[in-house]
């Protein structure tokens, strides 16, 4: 496990890796692992607890003081690298093999509509610039670095949430464009594309009525 702010070779990084492999550990076990004093280990554990990366519980064995046992927190577990892109690519490939490209497009269309519904519930702006600005904040909460252009007529993505998937399945880019269209109520053109080697994906306002994908019930 390598997490931002915790280099693999650092004491904190080694503690996190050990807990990931072993599940839990005591201060004594971690001191032996790192070759440092129990006091130094406790200092690292205090910082990791403050960052929300580990949990601690008391475990009693007979009389005397209970010992403290440390384990990774849910936050740390969710930060571990995951191969979602590969899994999604394989699922889309299987769907295409069974139902053709049209099946993939229909399914991605429904996914885009569900995403749009989630965003629309949290967007209150009236004008396009306001809605794009609110969408940018929501996207950045997903880890997508975005920026609304000064003219308020376009939005740029400087990172792609579906980078590997989009290379194998360009329909994903169409899904993202249509999702944004539904959120802001405007037709958009995708002028630049990270998938094709551009620095960013730029979605720009286009005159005309938007052909929305039929809405689905929100679950």
């Amino acid at each position: 496990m390598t997490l931002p702010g915790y280099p693999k070779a650092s004491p904190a990084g080694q503690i996190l890796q050990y807990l990931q492999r072993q599940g839990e550990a005591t201060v004594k076990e971690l001191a032996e692992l790192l070759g440092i004093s129990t006091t130094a280990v406790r200092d690292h554990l205090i910082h990791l607890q403050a960052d929300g990366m580990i949990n601690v519980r008391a475990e009693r064995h007979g009389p005397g003081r209970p010992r403290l046992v440390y384990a990774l927190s849910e936050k740390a577990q969710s930060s571990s690298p995951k191969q979602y892109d590969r899994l999604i690519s394989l699922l889309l490939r299987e769907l295409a093999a069974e139902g053709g490209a049209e099946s993939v497009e229909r399914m991605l269309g429904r996914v885009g509509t569900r995403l749009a519904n989630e965003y629309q519930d949290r967007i209150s702006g009236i004008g396009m610039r306001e809605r794009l600005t609110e969408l940018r904040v929501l996207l950045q909460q997903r880890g997508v670095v975005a920026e609304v252009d000064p003219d308020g007529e376009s939005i740029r993505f400087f990172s792609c949430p579906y980078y590997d998937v989009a290379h194998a399945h360009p329909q994903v880019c169409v899904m993202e464009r249509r999702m944004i269209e539904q959120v802001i109520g405007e037709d958009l053109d995708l002028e630049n594309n990270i998938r094709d080697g551009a620095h960013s994906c730029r979605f720009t306002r286009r005159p005309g009525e938007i052909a929305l994908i039929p809405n689905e019930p929100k679950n």
Side-chain angles (χ1 to χ4, degrees):
M1 169 187 288
T2 302
L3 298 173
Y6 303 100
K8 189 174 182 180
S10 70
Q14 293 181 64
I15 289 173
L16 292 174
Q17 293 173 68
Y18 185 82
L19 293 178
Q20 185 184 41
R21 293 193 304 269
Q22 303 299 324
E24 58 185 27
T26 63
V27 170
K28 181 180 179 181
E29 290 169 341
L30 293 172
E32 293 174 353
L33 169 72
L34 299 174
I36 59 179
S37 69
T38 55
T39 300
V41 168
R42 289 191 180 93
D43 287 340
H44 291 299
L45 293 173
I46 288 171
H47 288 301
L48 288 170
Q49 279 185 272
D51 290 344
M53 303 305 292
I54 60 174
N55 296 324
V56 60
R57 63 181 175 82
E59 187 177 84
R60 185 178 294 278
H61 290 279
R65 296 174 56 186
R67 68 173 186 169
L68 298 180
V69 180
Y70 296 85
L72 292 181
S73 67
E74 184 176 339
K75 175 182 175 180
Q77 296 282 10
S78 64
S79 300
S80 300
K82 297 179 174 64
Q83 297 190 32
Y84 290 147
D85 281 356
R86 177 170 171 75
L87 174 60
I88 294 171
S89 290
L90 290 173
L91 289 173
L92 291 177
R93 187 182 303 170
E94 289 300 313
L95 180 61
E98 289 189 6
E102 296 80 6
S103 295
V104 174
E105 292 174 4
R106 285 195 298 270
M107 189 271 289
L108 289 175
R110 292 194 294 271
V111 170
T113 296
R114 289 182 182 275
L115 286 171
N117 287 337
E118 291 179 10
Y119 287 131
Q120 284 172 329
D121 288 343
R122 301 171 62 184
I123 288 181
S124 58
I126 297 175
M128 179 171 175
R129 180 193 292 272
E130 293 175 316
R131 296 176 73 82
L132 282 177
T133 299
E134 292 176 0
L135 177 62
R136 177 189 64 80
V137 173
L138 296 175
L139 287 168
Q140 292 196 161
Q141 292 174 1
R142 287 172 53 198
V144 180
V145 180
E147 177 183 281
V148 178
D149 285 349
D151 59 10
E153 299 286 299
S154 56
I155 186 170
R156 297 173 186 263
F157 291 9
F158 294 99
S159 60
C160 177
Y162 317 108
Y163 184 78
D164 291 335
V165 178
H167 276 79
H169 304 279
Q171 303 99 316
V172 170
C173 298
V174 177
M175 176 200 75
E176 192 80 341
R177 175 177 60 80
R178 290 182 178 173
M179 180 274 290
I180 301 172
E181 288 178 337
Q182 292 180 74
V183 171
I184 66 173
E186 298 281 352
D187 278 337
L188 298 173
D189 285 321
L190 176 56
E191 294 189 349
N192 301 321
N193 197 318
I194 292 174
R195 188 191 74 239
D196 295 333
H199 175 61
S200 65
C201 294
R202 185 174 186 231
F203 300 90
T204 303
R205 184 180 193 175
R206 168 166 46 93
E209 295 186 359
I210 179 172
L212 296 180
I213 303 171
N215 285 330
E216 289 195 346
K218 302 177 188 178
N219 291 335

